[in-house]
Amino acid sequence: MIADGDRIAVGLSGGADSLTMMWHLTERLSRIPIRYELFAIYIDPGFENGFSGALAEYCAKTGYTLRVDHTDHGPLSHSDHNRENPCFLCARLRRKRLFEIADELGCRKLAMGHHKDDIIETLFLNMCYAGEISTMLPRQSLFKGRFTVIRPLTHAGEDEIRQFARDQAFPEFVNPCPSAGHSKRQEVKTLLKQFYRTNPKIRGNIFRAMSHVRPEYLLK
Ligand SMILES: Nc1ncnc2c1ncn2[C@@H]1O[C@H](COP(=O)(O)OP(=O)(O)OP(=O)(O)O)[C@@H](O)[C@H]1O
């Protein structure tokens, strides 16, 4: 996933997941034989009451290199000009900016804080809303190999990450987005949580099933 000499752009949203990822990517540098450089990027969606100043202060204090990109993605996605789902457009614009800035910074790798539960939810989102069986990969080569997206938290569960963030007393940056907590992903998350309560093995089994595909038992 990470090689000696890599320059890695890190999508830092200010949430527990990406703060945990940044912490781990930084901490392991002190005990492994390879070197890499980290460049955190925050795409500010441009809502009032944003937290980019507080995040920049936290990063400066912690010793993280942060680039803040001020955009109007949030208001634009919620405006009458947009006929798509606001989260869909906002996420698409954000991804585009992340790659553009990573490129400017000379980074060929972009680390994202998606975790095990995000990957399971994406499988269900893609089945329900895109009609396909697919999810996000731990390591994904894009644009003919020009960039690689890495997801170092692939095997960490959301609950473990939340606990780690509490133990480390990470600051909580409040997301000013009016759609926060009302996305399709949130609906799938709620349904899956109900499902998991019926049998504690379901979550692990779904995750394992994604690397145990039997194409001969799928429809052609
Ligand atoms: N505004 C942003 N700026 C930079 N990177 C972002 C931003 N929003 C999301 N990301 C990246 O995409 C990943 C997944 O996004 P998602 O919307 O699930 O994040 P979140 O739940 O808001 O925050 P987190 O995943 O950090 O807890 C994040 O972990 C982060 O790496």
Side-chain angles (χ1 to χ4, degrees):
M1 203 178 259
I2 296 179
D4 196 25
D6 275 347
R7 289 169 68 86
I8 305 170
V10 181
L12 192 71
S13 69
D17 306 336
S18 49
L19 286 172
T20 297
M21 168 174 68
M22 190 69 194
W23 188 96
H24 281 286
L25 289 175
T26 305
E27 186 274 340
R28 68 197 283 281
L29 273 168
S30 64
R31 54 183 173 78
I32 56 170
I34 63 162
R35 299 283 91 199
Y36 51 83
E37 287 178 89
L38 300 169
F39 302 87
I41 305 171
Y42 173 56
I43 310 296
D44 185 332
F47 291 115
E48 279 176 27
N49 309 322
F51 56 73
S52 59
L55 181 64
E57 219 171 279
Y58 171 74
C59 287
K61 197 178 75 191
T62 315
Y64 298 156
T65 304
L66 175 74
R67 162 95 168 255
V68 175
D69 188 55
H70 295 280
T71 74
D72 62 353
H73 296 168
L76 181 73
S77 302
H78 288 83
S79 74
D80 294 341
H81 297 294
N82 175 32
R83 300 195 179 167
E84 294 173 5
N85 172 324
C87 300
F88 183 77
L89 178 62
C90 193
R92 185 150 53 82
L93 294 169
R94 179 170 68 232
R95 249 191 325 269
K96 184 166 177 285
R97 279 307 288 150
L98 280 171
F99 283 119
E100 285 168 357
I101 297 170
D103 196 28
E104 272 174 37
L105 295 170
C107 300
R108 295 283 154 262
K109 286 187 181 160
L110 172 62
M112 309 281 280
H114 297 113
H115 49 65
K116 187 181 200 164
D117 293 283
D118 289 324
I119 290 171
I120 293 175
E121 289 155 18
T122 301
L123 171 73
F124 282 83
L125 284 165
N126 288 354
M127 283 197 291
C128 297
Y129 300 105
E132 62 176 50
I133 296 182
S134 64
T135 190
M136 300 182 286
L137 299 178
R139 186 179 193 286
Q140 198 163 4
S141 176
L142 295 172
F143 311 118
K144 298 189 176 147
R146 184 161 170 70
F147 284 107
T148 303
V149 170
I150 57 171
R151 298 189 167 92
L153 299 183
T154 292
H155 292 276
E158 185 169 12
D159 41 2
E160 286 172 79
I161 295 172
R162 294 283 171 276
Q163 187 57 51
F164 184 81
R166 277 194 294 274
D167 292 347
Q168 293 293 323
F170 287 153
E172 288 184 29
F173 298 103
V174 180
N175 188 347
C177 175
S179 297
H182 304 291
S183 60
K184 287 286 169 214
R185 180 174 294 278
Q186 190 57 47
E187 282 174 29
V188 168
K189 189 188 286 292
T190 305
L191 282 172
L192 284 170
K193 276 197 181 145
Q194 284 169 9
F195 197 26
Y196 297 162
R197 272 186 222 117
T198 66
N199 181 333
K201 290 194 174 158
I202 290 176
R203 180 169 168 258
N205 282 342
I206 298 175
F207 192 68
R208 256 192 309 285
M210 286 186 276
S211 48
H212 187 220
V213 179
R214 299 177 68 181
E216 69 275 26
Y217 281 91
L218 290 175
L219 303 184
K220 295 260 184 307

